[in-house]
Amino acid sequence: DTAVSQTPKYLVTQMGNDKSIKCEQNLGHDTMYWYKQDSKKFLKIMFSYNNKELIINETVPNRFSPKSPDKAHLNLHINSLELGDSAVYFCASSHLAGRVDNEQFFGPGTRLTVL
Amino acid sequence: QKEVEQNSGPLSVPEGAIASLNCTYSDRGSQSFFWYRQYSGKSPELIMFIYSNGDKEDGRFTAQLNKASQYVSLLIRDSQPSDSATYLCAFGTSYGKLTFGQGTILTVHP
């Protein structure tokens, strides 16, 4: 039944590898987001897509590339993984960005560990 | 200056007490303000949002916003051990970006 799902839940990989995280929402929302939460629990936005169009692109290394094949899916591909990429990555979705009551629903997170 | 600052915590209150969580923000263009709760190992979930000056109540939770002082707070009345979590304050902009504070860890002890 659920709302925002992510796969995989855990990802352990070596430095230099390329990996992807997938996100899907079944809430009928128009906007999806990627956030990174570091070891100090600081949650920071990375990207946002509105109906397959990129609308937020924060200062993130270009090794990170989001892709939205349709408005229900937003994937995150990471090239040449580095130790500092270790974090929990959350996908979120909301109704059309711009509403003041723009509640964002978060997925369960993907814990990425780079060795 | 950080964009969003929360009281540093951790905050510990006895069961039944009022927990007070505070947040200041620097962007005067912020439109709306959100309080999320995050249990350990889980994802953030929305408790309340507020966008008008004043108070907004929902059950045991009251959010207070003062845009002139760039200050937003969350009061939790009759705190329960199940309220023990990290509370994240965030402000939102017109294009949906949420900027979060560093979080305040709340522990409610029986």
Side-chain angles (χ1 to χ4, degrees), chain A residues 11-15 17-19 81 112-115:
Chain A
L11 189 51
V12 181
T13 188
Q14 299 286 333
M15 262 175 36
N17 283 350
D18 302 338
K19 290 292 177 187
L81 278 154
L112 171 65
T113 304
V114 182
L115 303 175

Side-chain angles (χ1 to χ4, degrees), chain A residues 9 31 33 35 37 40-45 48 55-56 58 90 94 97-109 111, chain B residues 3-4 31-34 36 38 40-46 49-51 86 88 93-103:
Chain A
K9 191 165 171 61
T31 310
Y33 311 81
Y35 287 87
Q37 188 167 48
K40 294 191 168 133
K41 306 296 185 196
F42 185 57
L43 191 59
K44 189 167 167 54
I45 192 164
S48 171
I55 56 170
I56 296 174
E58 291 292 288
F90 287 102
S94 72
R99 291 168 50 156
V100 289
D101 59 345
N102 183 29
E103 177 180 0
Q104 295 184 17
F105 292 82
F106 285 78
R111 181 174 293 277
Chain B
E3 292 182 275
V4 183
Q31 293 193 323
S32 48
F33 304 86
F34 300 81
Y36 279 81
Q38 186 175 23
S40 182
K42 301 293 186 185
S43 55
E45 53 180 347
L46 183 70
F49 69 89
I50 185 169
Y51 53 86
T86 299
L88 302 167
T93 61
S94 59
Y95 46 93
K97 175 181 172 180
L98 285 185
T99 300
F100 284 87
Q102 77 277 22

